[in-house]
Amino acid sequence: MVKYAHMSELLKGLNEPQKKAVTHKDGPLLILAGAGTGKTTVITSKMAWLVMEQEIKPDEILALTFTEKAATEMEERVDKLLPLGYADLWISTFHSFAERILRDNALEIGLPNDFRLLSQTEQWLLVRQNLDRFRLDYYRPLGNPTKFIHALLKLFSRAKDENISTEEYLEYAQNLKLDSDSAEFIKGSASEEDLAGLTKKEILALTEDELAKQLEISDAYHIYQQLLLEKGAMDFGDLINYCLRLFKERPAVLARYRSKFKYILVDEFQDTNWAQYELVKLLASPKNNLTVVGDDDQAIYKFRGASVSNILQFKDDFPKAEEILLVDNYRSCQNILDLAYKFIQRNNPDRLEVKMREKGKELSKQLISHAECEGVIEHLHGQTASDEVEMVINKIIEIYNSDKALNWSDFAILVRANNSAENFCYALELARVPYAFLASKGLYQKRIILDILAWFRLLDSYHESSAMYRVINLPIWQLPHNDCVNLNYWANRKGWSLYEVCKQNRLFANISDGSRTKLDKIVSLLEQSATIAKACKKPTEILQGFLEASGYLKILTNKDGLDSRRDINYLNQFYKKIAKFEKKNLSADLESLMTLINMELESGEEGSLVQDLENDSPDTVKVMTIHGSKGLEFKYVFIGNLVDKKFPSISRSEPIELPAKLIKETLPEGDPHLEEERRLFYVAATRAKNGLFLTSAQDYGGARAKKLSRFLIELSEDGFVLSQEVIVEPVKLEKKSEERRTGQAQQETTAFLPKQFSFTQIKAFESCPYQYRFAHILKIPGKGKPQFSFGKSMHSTMQKFFLLAKTRAGSSQSDIFGGGPQEHQISWEEVRKIYDESFIDDWYPDKKTKDLYYQKGLISLKNFFDEWQSDKKLADSLEVGFTFKLSKDCAIRGAIDRIDKVEDGYRLIDYKTGNPKEKLTSEDKEQLLIYQMAAEEVLGKPVKELSFYYFEGNKELSFIGKDKELEKLKEKISSIAEEIKSGEFPPKPEKEKCKWCDFKSICDYV
């Protein structure tokens, strides 16, 4: 293991409390990290310190956080700190971690390890499609049988957050008797106001009603879990709870993972729920090398099941835990921090500061700024909502014009709810200020997705005129607006569908000749696409056919603007959603897809969105919810709609409440909703570095004038000056200097470049940079090919086979370089079953071709299996992921298919499904040479042999890389990486090569 020459290199720039936190090694540690105090820096530096200074292997450290975004950021930071790279780094969300454990061990508790993980919408569909199985009375109103599905699912999720089993819930419901306990139960379910004046008989009737509801709910919970088991599925709550069950019921499995993870670190600890905390405690025991980092004042995910009591409970669970307080803020001006601190103290006594004082320990979480500045803090108040929006936009432009060093990305408008963002977005567009609305939902409302859905609906029914009208108005056809209006006029007058009018367009007057030609093309393309759909082609193929044949994709990819990139991003997300649907469903045709989407829309689903703040919108004003802003920072922050009932929002009780007796977390003394809303405001305010603007208006269009938010009143009581209504003259956006425009354009270009490279990316750029642009910058979905599906099928089969062999031999995959030949039995029938389950039938042009590939794979596997029987050699490790640094600025990511132990070292094996070569060229060897460098320098193991294993003919070609070869390849890859980072992607057209390119239909250079 390579160490830093001096520990100071790793600890450089850290303050004393941060250094103390980083170098704390053994035992429990609570790091209370306020906003902007460098908590992510601390936790990633701690991981690097453990690896580089304490010689802990990277895969012996488990780092858990709350969101995929936070996990990705943490991994990127650790990557920068580890000079050589790493293998199999366990940085993930709680759910991803639990899923990984269950995929490997679910059979231990009688669950399938190939379970399906259901989204919220899929859970709703599961209940809706099986509603007759649920013995619902109260919660199945005749007028709207699906009314309570969301409420029931939310209750089930809440129960799983508390690790409440169906048996536990049922026992609770059955034990409720008509006695004093029941009376207490009723008091917990209804307010004293509701109960006042009721007779004993009426209270008794109410009690019986509530008891019946609880029995109905507990029964529904049980049926829901049964349905999941029958379908081989889990929801997100199941992942944590089944993982807990696995560890509790299988001590040997728990012991293995306790031995593996010598150190556990939890980021955003305040956002964990009760079950997640139980999982961490169980895994960390008995050594308890557990570090948690959090801030109770930033716990804002109660709606997702987060339990703020966990951070308060930690000191009780680990009374000897070391405690480190981080209050040195490197983000905001002191007056902004002071305002936020005074405000959040109104959540006392339910804050950690107070709880610790009650236990005799003084604790001050007041943040100390290291930014030498006086922040701007203003209240902007208008007569109407339009005035408020106008003042915000004017203020942004005014500040932007005043400082040429500012970028649009230095500004953020934060709102309490998505629907409050629309007016701000519209005004920014009118003012020609670039902006990005970072919503987590709304994919189905995006323009490009509405276009595609309209096309899909027409394939199901030509006569859906609203879809046809959208299609003929697509910019790709360039039909004059008057012609579209006239076509609609004739359809209404004749009583025909718009499709029939377009098809028979020559019968009607006032349509230009150019439009008639285009309409013929649209109708022809529509009929061709419908024929393909009826031939049971998969929706992904139908989508690609439409995008290419219509010219939609070519127009989209020929532009380099932000709007175009956003549309391509939405297209990618929709394509992945369809591809996922195809994998999950045997009858994955267009009709079943549209049925699913229509049901999703019926359930209230808007289509989830994955936002990439850095890459999707590099230099734009960010408009987002406060929840979405967590972990971000901006020079200037505007918090909008600070009026009564908007922020703080109205407290709404759950339609179906979880009984208080079943709740295991510690509940707050004060109003939980109001305290959470205060924490939200605190998070929003502490995003601001130099300026914080609080905005409101009197008139939002309702019958009554709006009162100011109680938060503004509370701030005024602490000395904040509220504004009177003001009229602000519009501020014009000044023209940017050429230097400023060029700098921002460069920022937009480099934002889309990768931070790490794969071998596939390197080869794609080497072949043709323009092709690389399509595949890896724009990420255009490529057409699948039979050989890709076949290759994945064979790889998956081999991995599952060797995992089974290791299990039978009593070996463990987690022991990455252990084991050896042992007696174990696997039958050919088992291998064939694995192959059948792993065989992917995507992208085969017809059944005959699919059957030929299937038989080819079957013969290859039989030949392999017969030969393997002679020595029954086990693989030491499978699918070993790595990140290998060729230089400070160039990292390669990959995964080695298989590693076998040989005398004095290891053999690295890569599977190939193509025809075996007689002789390998230097280019053929490059992939395995990269693996050799990664295995030796990252895994620290000597490589004695590199082998390509060809399934065709059961043949191997082996070699070993020489120092000269490896050095030459390093230089080549580094050179290509530098070219990629330049942001230039010139075409390299070659007739033979272009003929096989996936993007030839949208390339101007073929």
Side-chain angles (χ1 to χ4, degrees):
M1 183 69 66
V2 179
K3 290 190 177 185
Y4 281 97
H6 301 286
M7 193 185 299
S8 59
E9 294 178 36
L10 181 58
L11 304 181
K12 186 178 180 181
L14 300 182
N15 60 39
E16 286 308 310
Q18 288 174 329
K19 288 177 185 176
K20 187 179 177 184
V22 168
T23 56
H24 170 92
K25 188 183 179 187
D26 296 330
L29 169 65
L30 172 62
I31 303 174
L32 294 169
T37 58
K39 69 175 182 60
T40 307
T41 298
V42 167
I43 204 166
T44 51
S45 296
K46 185 175 186 65
M47 292 179 71
W49 180 80
L50 287 169
V51 173
M52 304 308 298
E53 295 293 337
Q54 302 302 306
E55 301 191 4
I56 305 299
K57 293 177 182 176
D59 65 342
E60 292 177 336
I61 303 169
L62 172 63
L64 297 169
T65 190
F66 193 63
T67 64
E68 292 290 351
K69 174 187 154 194
T72 301
E73 181 188 354
M74 198 185 297
E75 186 170 342
E76 287 174 356
R77 292 209 193 184
V78 172
D79 175 53
K80 290 177 182 177
L81 293 171
L82 297 178
L84 296 178
Y86 47 85
D88 206 14
L89 201 60
W90 286 73
I91 298 178
S92 71
T93 63
F94 276 89
H95 291 116
S96 295
F97 168 73
E99 181 179 4
R100 186 171 176 180
I101 298 297
L102 289 172
R103 293 288 181 198
D104 288 343
N105 301 279
L107 295 174
E108 294 272 358
I109 51 173
L111 297 170
N113 57 8
D114 59 348
F115 58 83
R116 288 174 54 203
L117 185 58
L118 302 187
S119 65
Q120 287 184 345
T121 302
E122 288 168 328
Q123 294 168 49
W124 186 91
L125 290 171
L126 178 68
V127 175
R128 187 189 187 281
Q129 290 165 351
N130 295 276
L131 207 52
D132 291 339
R133 295 268 301 269
F134 289 83
R135 295 180 285 271
L136 298 177
D137 180 18
Y138 184 88
Y139 291 110
R140 190 178 183 177
L142 292 176
N144 182 7
T146 64
K147 177 181 178 182
F148 287 105
I149 292 180
H150 279 305
L152 284 168
L153 288 171
K154 193 165 186 181
L155 177 76
F156 301 159
S157 174
R158 182 79 180 87
K160 290 177 183 182
D161 290 341
E162 300 282 332
N163 193 28
I164 300 166
S165 67
T166 55
E167 293 81 9
E168 194 176 347
Y169 206 127
L170 185 61
E171 182 183 1
Y172 162 79
Q174 290 174 339
N175 287 341
L176 285 172
K177 303 296 182 184
L178 302 181
D179 55 21
S180 58
D181 286 343
S182 300
E184 289 302 314
F185 164 65
I186 288 303
K187 288 177 183 176
S189 303
S191 67
E192 289 185 17
E193 227 176 90
D194 294 334
L195 295 173
L198 294 181
T199 65
K200 189 175 181 180
K201 186 177 180 181
E202 287 170 331
I203 291 178
L204 182 64
L206 184 60
T207 301
E208 289 175 343
D209 187 44
E210 288 296 329
L211 291 174
K213 286 182 191 177
Q214 288 303 317
L215 286 168
E216 186 172 308
I217 291 166
S218 64
D219 186 53
Y221 187 21
H222 173 74
I223 292 168
Y224 172 68
Q225 286 304 111
Q226 283 297 116
L227 278 171
L228 289 173
L229 289 171
E230 288 171 18
K231 302 291 182 184
M234 293 187 192
D235 60 24
F236 282 95
D238 286 329
L239 292 176
I240 305 298
N241 291 348
Y242 279 132
C243 197
L244 264 172
R245 179 179 157 190
L246 171 72
F247 287 158
K248 288 178 179 179
E249 293 184 7
R250 296 292 180 266
V253 176
L254 175 59
R256 175 160 31 108
Y257 285 103
R258 279 178 172 174
S259 173
K260 176 178 179 59
F261 299 122
K262 294 180 170 53
Y263 292 88
I264 300 175
L265 301 92
V266 182
D267 194 15
E268 303 290 6
F269 183 61
Q270 75 280 351
D271 293 329
T272 57
N273 61 42
W274 193 90
Q276 289 166 342
Y277 183 31
E278 284 297 295
L279 182 64
V280 168
K281 284 193 291 186
L282 191 62
L283 200 54
S285 181
K287 293 184 178 178
N288 293 324
N289 292 330
L290 173 63
T291 296
V292 299
V293 186
D295 179 8
D296 58 303
D297 291 330
Q298 296 186 74
I300 59 171
Y301 291 110
K302 184 65 180 174
F303 71 97
R304 291 182 184 170
S307 172
V308 69
S309 68
N310 282 349
I311 202 165
L312 305 175
Q313 182 69 31
F314 187 85
K315 286 293 288 181
D316 290 336
D317 293 335
F318 302 99
K320 294 182 180 179
E322 187 164 352
E323 182 184 300
I324 296 174
L325 185 64
L326 302 182
V327 293
D328 293 285
N329 178 283
Y330 298 91
R331 174 190 295 162
S332 307
C333 300
Q334 187 65 56
N335 58 330
I336 294 175
L337 298 178
D338 290 343
L339 176 139
Y341 181 66
K342 286 180 183 177
F343 174 81
I344 200 61
Q345 287 185 89
R346 291 181 180 265
N347 271 1
N348 293 341
D350 290 318
R351 294 177 59 249
L352 190 62
E353 272 185 337
V354 178
K355 299 295 182 185
M356 295 297 284
R357 285 178 198 142
E358 289 172 357
K359 294 180 180 181
K361 181 166 183 178
E362 279 302 315
L363 175 72
S364 173
K365 291 176 60 190
Q366 183 162 13
L367 299 175
I368 301 166
S369 174
H370 285 251
E372 295 181 4
C373 56
E374 181 71 21
V376 179
I377 307 176
E378 290 183 14
H379 175 216
L380 306 177
H381 184 67
Q383 173 64 32
T384 66
S386 297
D387 292 339
E388 177 189 2
V389 169
E390 186 179 357
M391 284 193 289
V392 170
I393 308 308
N394 287 343
K395 181 64 72 171
I396 289 173
I397 294 173
E398 177 189 317
I399 297 170
Y400 181 79
N401 285 341
S402 68
D403 186 350
K404 291 187 177 181
L406 285 173
N407 295 315
W408 292 118
S409 55
D410 291 321
F411 299 88
I413 300 172
L414 305 184
V415 292
R416 176 62 183 85
N418 278 321
N419 57 12
S420 299
E422 294 174 6
N423 289 339
F424 291 106
C425 293
Y426 182 65
L428 287 164
E429 199 163 323
L430 288 179
R432 300 198 174 187
V433 173
Y435 75 94
F437 176 35
L438 303 178
S440 60
K441 292 184 178 180
L443 180 64
Y444 294 155
Q445 276 72 54
K446 299 304 178 185
R447 179 183 60 83
I448 186 171
I449 307 305
L450 288 170
D451 293 346
I452 292 167
L453 290 176
W455 185 261
F456 281 178
R457 289 195 171 96
L458 283 177
L459 301 185
D460 183 52
S461 171
Y462 291 157
H463 304 295
E464 190 169 330
S465 292
S466 59
M468 190 69 190
Y469 191 73
R470 185 173 188 94
V471 165
I472 64 174
N473 275 281
L474 292 179
I476 51 175
W477 318 120
Q478 296 185 326
L479 283 173
H481 178 66
N482 286 342
D483 285 350
C484 293
V485 171
N486 287 332
L487 288 165
N488 210 38
Y489 163 78
W490 286 116
N492 289 327
R493 180 171 173 178
K494 290 287 186 180
W496 292 9
S497 70
L498 185 55
Y499 163 79
E500 278 298 329
V501 172
C502 291
K503 187 172 184 178
Q504 306 290 339
N505 65 80
R506 282 167 176 75
L507 298 178
F508 304 102
N510 301 324
I511 307 296
S512 66
D513 291 340
S515 290
R516 295 187 195 280
T517 303
K518 291 174 183 176
L519 288 168
D520 291 342
K521 179 185 175 182
I522 294 170
V523 169
S524 174
L525 181 59
L526 187 56
E527 291 175 344
Q528 289 172 27
S529 194
T531 303
I532 292 171
K534 285 174 184 174
C536 293
K537 290 291 184 183
K538 294 190 174 180
T540 46
E541 297 179 54
I542 297 167
L543 173 57
Q544 286 182 323
F546 161 65
L547 292 173
E548 291 182 7
S550 65
Y552 200 126
L553 192 57
K554 188 168 185 175
I555 291 172
L556 204 59
T557 55
N558 278 350
K559 299 174 183 175
D560 267 329
L562 192 58
D563 289 341
S564 173
R565 284 177 175 170
R566 278 185 197 154
D567 281 345
I568 291 171
N569 179 31
Y570 298 143
L571 172 62
N572 277 322
Q573 292 191 44
F574 188 63
Y575 183 89
K576 287 176 182 176
K577 180 182 177 65
I578 300 175
K580 186 178 179 182
F581 163 78
E582 291 175 355
K583 285 181 181 178
K584 286 185 176 181
N585 296 273
L586 295 175
S587 58
D589 56 13
L590 185 62
E591 183 181 358
S592 56
L593 172 69
M594 292 309 295
T595 300
L596 172 68
I597 289 176
N598 289 333
M599 288 180 76
E600 286 184 334
L601 293 171
E602 180 191 341
S603 78
E605 174 63 41
E606 301 170 13
S608 58
L609 275 169
V610 179
Q611 299 286 1
D612 187 335
L613 184 71
E614 184 177 353
N615 291 340
D616 297 343
S617 48
D619 190 34
T620 54
V621 174
K622 305 302 183 292
V623 184
M624 64 178 76
T625 64
I626 299 169
H627 283 102
S629 73
K630 183 74 175 9
L632 304 177
E633 57 183 45
F634 305 91
K635 287 187 177 177
Y636 297 94
V637 167
F638 295 77
I639 305 176
N641 298 167
L642 277 162
V643 292
D644 186 42
K645 295 183 175 59
K646 282 185 176 285
F647 193 18
S649 64
I650 302 171
S651 175
R652 291 185 176 90
S653 61
E654 297 294 342
I656 310 175
E657 292 279 359
L658 185 68
K661 283 191 177 181
L662 286 173
I663 296 173
K664 297 170 183 175
E665 65 176 282
T666 305
L667 298 175
E669 296 176 32
D671 181 339
H673 173 75
L674 185 57
E675 289 183 5
E676 174 114 346
E677 293 289 300
R678 282 204 189 95
R679 291 194 294 269
L680 268 171
F681 183 89
Y682 179 81
V683 165
T686 53
R687 301 310 94 195
K689 293 181 178 181
N690 302 97
L692 177 64
F693 298 88
L694 312 177
T695 75
S696 58
Q698 184 175 330
D699 180 5
Y700 285 86
R704 298 180 180 179
K706 283 284 186 184
K707 296 179 182 177
L708 288 179
S709 164
R710 67 175 290 163
F711 290 170
L712 287 174
I713 304 303
E714 289 173 357
L715 288 168
S716 70
E717 291 171 359
D718 291 331
F720 178 64
V721 179
L722 297 179
S723 169
Q724 300 299 314
E725 291 171 15
V726 292
I727 303 298
V728 182
E729 293 297 322
V731 178
K732 290 185 179 180
L733 179 60
E734 293 178 0
K735 287 186 178 180
K736 292 179 284 183
S737 67
E738 192 63 32
E739 180 184 350
R740 188 173 186 181
R741 184 163 60 246
T742 302
Q744 290 175 347
Q746 180 64 25
Q747 181 191 4
E748 289 193 9
T749 301
T750 55
F752 290 89
L753 299 177
K755 296 177 177 66
Q756 298 171 336
F757 302 94
S758 67
F759 177 73
T760 303
Q761 289 175 310
I762 294 292
K763 296 305 289 183
F765 187 88
E766 187 180 17
S767 173
C768 175
Y770 203 61
Q771 177 200 39
Y772 176 91
R773 172 181 174 268
F774 284 129
H776 300 289
I777 299 297
L778 299 180
K779 296 184 174 70
I780 303 299
K783 280 185 179 178
K785 297 176 182 177
Q787 52 267 42
F788 292 166
S789 296
F790 181 62
K792 288 180 181 178
S793 302
M794 297 299 285
H795 275 71
S796 178
T797 301
M798 292 293 279
Q799 183 186 17
K800 290 175 183 176
F801 166 76
F802 277 108
L803 277 173
L804 179 61
K806 291 188 78 171
T807 302
R808 292 277 169 87
S811 185
S812 165
Q813 188 189 5
S814 64
D815 180 13
I816 205 165
F817 290 109
Q822 298 180 45
E823 283 303 315
H824 42 277
Q825 293 294 326
I826 297 178
S827 68
W828 164 245
E829 287 70 26
E830 288 177 299
V831 179
R832 179 162 186 166
K833 184 182 178 184
I834 291 173
Y835 178 56
D836 288 341
E837 291 172 349
S838 303
F839 191 79
I840 302 167
D841 62 357
D842 295 344
W843 300 108
Y844 294 102
D846 48 54
K847 186 177 183 300
K848 183 180 178 182
T849 305
K850 182 178 74 172
D851 290 344
L852 284 172
Y853 270 99
Y854 175 85
Q855 289 299 326
K856 176 182 172 184
L858 199 62
I859 292 167
S860 296
L861 284 171
K862 186 67 169 71
N863 291 336
F864 158 78
F865 180 72
D866 288 344
E867 187 169 316
W868 179 82
Q869 289 281 65
S870 63
D871 64 5
K872 295 185 179 179
K873 185 172 178 61
L874 297 176
D876 284 282
S877 52
L878 304 164
E879 294 292 326
V880 181
F882 65 82
T883 299
F884 168 55
K885 292 190 176 179
L886 290 170
S887 64
K888 184 182 177 182
D889 300 317
C890 179
I892 303 290
R893 298 193 76 161
I896 304 169
D897 288 344
R898 191 171 108 215
I899 300 177
D900 285 357
K901 189 155 186 5
V902 295
E903 190 177 350
D904 299 326
Y906 299 89
R907 181 167 71 120
L908 313 184
I909 300 165
D910 190 67
Y911 301 131
K912 296 293 180 187
T913 52
N915 293 321
K917 298 192 174 185
E918 292 300 320
K919 189 178 180 181
L920 296 173
T921 66
S922 58
E923 287 194 353
D924 293 332
K925 296 179 180 179
E926 287 178 347
Q927 184 175 6
L928 276 178
L929 291 176
I930 291 173
Y931 292 174
Q932 180 181 342
M933 290 186 281
E936 290 181 339
E937 298 193 36
V938 177
L939 301 176
K941 300 294 179 180
V943 177
K944 297 301 179 182
E945 190 177 20
L946 305 172
S947 294
F948 285 116
Y949 175 79
Y950 294 89
F951 291 106
E952 188 77 25
N954 193 26
K955 183 178 179 181
E956 287 192 28
L957 286 178
S958 300
F959 61 98
I960 189 67
K962 306 299 181 186
D963 290 344
K964 192 173 181 181
E965 283 181 292
L966 299 175
E967 204 55 45
K968 186 177 179 182
L969 180 58
K970 278 185 182 180
E971 291 173 5
K972 177 182 176 180
I973 293 174
S974 296
S975 175
I976 291 174
E978 285 304 311
E979 287 185 66
I980 293 173
K981 288 179 179 179
S982 72
E984 299 292 328
F985 306 102
K988 285 185 183 177
E990 292 178 18
K991 186 176 181 181
E992 194 59 30
K993 187 169 61 178
C994 292
K995 185 168 71 174
W996 303 105
C997 180
D998 288 338
F999 308 104
K1000 61 184 178 183
S1001 63
I1002 57 174
C1003 180
D1004 290 325
Y1005 301 97
V1006 175

